[in-house]
Amino acid sequence: MDIKHLMNDRFKNLQGGLFLAVTKADVGEGAGNFMKAGGDIMAWADPFFPDPAIPESVQKALHEAVDDGFAAHYSMPIGDLDLRKTLCEDVNKKTGLKLDPSRNMLVTPGSDSGLLFAMMPFISPGDEIMVPDPSYPSNFLNGKLLGGVTVPVPLYEEDNYQFRMEEFEKRVTDKTKMVLISHPNNPTTTVFRRESIEALCEFVIKHDLILVSDQAFQDHIYDGIEFVHPATLPGMWERTLTVCSISKGIGLSGFRIGYVYTDDVIMDVLYGAAVNVIGASSTLSTIGAIAAVKDEEILKSHYVRLERRRRLAWESFHDIPGVRMKLPESGILSWLYIGDLGTSEEVANRIMNDAKIMVNQGTPYGAQGEGYIRIVTACFARDEDAQERFDRIRAVLMKMAEEKGLK
Ligand SMILES: Cc1ncc(COP(=O)(O)O)c(C=O)c1O
């Protein structure tokens, strides 16, 4: 019996890898089996993975919470008040906004669920969601899961992946409801410059749209590049949902704590559905997250380590014949053009087979990702351990360049 005829069109064509060999690096047994067989994963955007990475101040808070015992119980579905206060203080300090912890802040079990939840009140079947391409893969699927239509809007390497507004203008229709950006962008690490963000916000206002700004990578911006928060621009606060995380910059992805902040008219609706959609985030993680956000040394020391790491990565890859790589502008990723050596799939598979390292093919990040691979260069706690993997990847790419006659 084909049970799928009972499924809706949004879900029935999804594949998780049970019935075919899915090479997708991000989920499932494929990655687990690869690790068990001794392979290394540099495909999960998770700083210092798989090494121990809970800062001391956070460990202390967790130990106390376990001793105290209250962590066995639910926290509030919209998020524990102390955590919401801590997050609001942090955001207010960094943005100049005046978030009220009881009206503008929602804690979610990771920002992935926050991203989908942020879209739910707005997307009806047939609504169109513009998503820059390349972008975080979930951002292409979320709209479809809600019955909407994802409209990729190309970004170009020659523009340093900034927005080309004519590409948005020519795709806007009377069904367009939302623009969903990842800022800084995953996978390219691009920080959208003030000019780009202002132009996008004008477009959002002109066409009466909602902006969802996925800022999971906002914590580490390099080279003094200005980070503009779209929610702070004129006319944007009441139509922007900002989605953030402690997974990337603070490096506590296993805690599964994200947060959404927005205007109280929108937040009232999200609070109304929170218990159904979210349940509540983990109480133990909440206690750890409060300690982590309060301890400003964590971000500072991670910044130094991650900034050094992006340079090591750039030094390891940028001069390989047939490869192009810019020094990353933010975060923990490297985005390499490898199109002269093979397709994304060929090159990622070759690295997996020959170097025993899983990196990401560029194609899940959108059509513009063909010819690129993404490497999570912040994996491993020690630079030496990361460098050893970079050297193995470099050797494979050099070999491929030689085979193509580029060396
Ligand atoms: C751009 C971006 N946004 C959001 C997420 C979700 O992260 P989390 O659910 O751990 O907060 C990720 C994870 O890789 C990401 O890359």
Side-chain angles (χ1 to χ4, degrees), residues 252-298:
L252 292 173
S253 56
F255 282 32
R256 310 309 305 129
I257 295 285
Y259 54 101
V260 180
Y261 63 84
T262 189
D263 180 61
D264 50 9
V265 176
I266 298 173
M267 192 55 90
D268 196 34
V269 169
L270 295 179
Y271 281 0
V275 71
N276 292 56
V277 180
I278 287 175
S281 301
S282 147
T283 304
L284 190 58
S285 295
T286 292
I287 292 164
I290 293 169
V293 177
K294 281 192 169 151
D295 182 352
E296 292 178 4
E297 284 311 308
I298 298 176

Side-chain angles (χ1 to χ4, degrees), residues 132 135 139 163 179-183 192 197 200 211-214 230:
S135 189
N139 291 348
F163 302 131
V179 177
L180 168 54
I181 61 170
S182 165
H183 172 47
F192 296 111
I197 290 285
L200 183 78
L211 179 70
V212 174
S213 185
D214 163 11

Side-chain angles (χ1 to χ4, degrees), residues 292-355:
V293 177
K294 281 192 169 151
D295 182 352
E296 292 178 4
E297 284 311 308
I298 298 176
L299 274 185
K300 282 189 200 150
S301 72
H302 284 5
Y303 181 93
V304 174
R305 296 170 74 185
L306 296 171
E307 199 284 324
R308 195 174 59 227
R309 188 65 68 80
R310 69 156 183 158
R311 283 182 192 279
L312 291 180
W314 182 80
E315 277 157 19
S316 302
F317 304 130
H318 81 278
D319 62 346
I320 299 171
V323 170
R324 280 196 307 273
M325 178 190 170
K326 269 193 57 190
L327 200 53
E329 294 186 351
S330 64
I332 59 176
L333 312 170
S334 291
W335 181 240
L336 275 64
Y337 170 78
I338 43 72
D340 296 335
L341 307 182
T343 63
S344 293
E345 186 176 0
E346 285 163 356
V347 173
N349 283 344
R350 188 74 184 269
I351 293 171
M352 177 131 83
N353 291 330
D354 294 4

Side-chain angles (χ1 to χ4, degrees), residues 75-254:
S75 63
M76 290 165 79
I78 65 171
D80 169 82
L81 180 59
D82 277 349
L83 179 54
R84 281 182 282 122
K85 275 186 185 157
T86 305
L87 292 169
C88 284
E89 270 166 30
D90 188 55
V91 175
N92 291 348
K93 196 163 83 187
K94 289 174 178 159
T95 63
L97 288 167
K98 294 193 171 61
L99 304 188
D100 177 335
S102 298
R103 298 185 78 86
N104 306 119
M105 180 60 75
L106 170 77
V107 178
T108 58
S111 66
D112 268 332
S113 56
L115 279 167
L116 186 64
F117 194 25
M119 297 171 71
M120 284 174 82
F122 299 99
I123 304 304
S124 303
D127 284 346
E128 295 175 5
I129 304 106
M130 297 184 136
V131 179
D133 170 357
S135 189
Y136 178 45
S138 298
N139 291 348
F140 295 106
L141 181 59
N142 280 351
K144 294 184 201 165
L145 293 180
L146 299 173
V149 178
T150 303
V151 178
V153 182
L155 307 176
Y156 301 98
E157 189 186 338
E158 75 240 39
D159 298 344
N160 188 26
Y161 292 111
Q162 299 295 315
F163 302 131
R164 211 182 262 193
M165 287 319 300
E166 58 270 30
E167 298 286 1
F168 283 85
E169 288 290 358
K170 71 185 179 210
R171 288 172 176 77
V172 72
T173 72
D174 56 3
K175 299 254 185 217
T176 309
K177 185 61 86 58
M178 177 179 284
V179 177
L180 168 54
I181 61 170
S182 165
H183 172 47
N185 201 5
N186 170 6
T188 60
T189 78
T190 309
V191 178
F192 296 111
R193 301 298 196 272
R194 175 171 287 280
E195 199 184 46
S196 240
I197 290 285
E198 284 181 351
L200 183 78
C201 291
E202 267 172 40
F203 170 86
V204 164
I205 292 170
K206 179 169 109 188
H207 295 286
D208 191 22
L209 308 176
I210 290 291
L211 179 70
V212 174
S213 185
D214 163 11
Q215 296 181 188
F217 286 94
Q218 69 182 351
D219 290 326
H220 300 302
I221 311 286
Y222 306 123
D223 304 319
I225 300 171
E226 181 192 21
F227 185 79
V228 178
H229 295 263
T232 64
L233 295 185
M236 289 305 295
W237 167 247
E238 54 272 38
R239 56 175 74 241
T240 303
L241 295 97
T242 306
V243 184
C244 306
S245 179
I246 67 162
S247 295
K248 314 297 179 183
I250 297 182
L252 292 173
S253 56

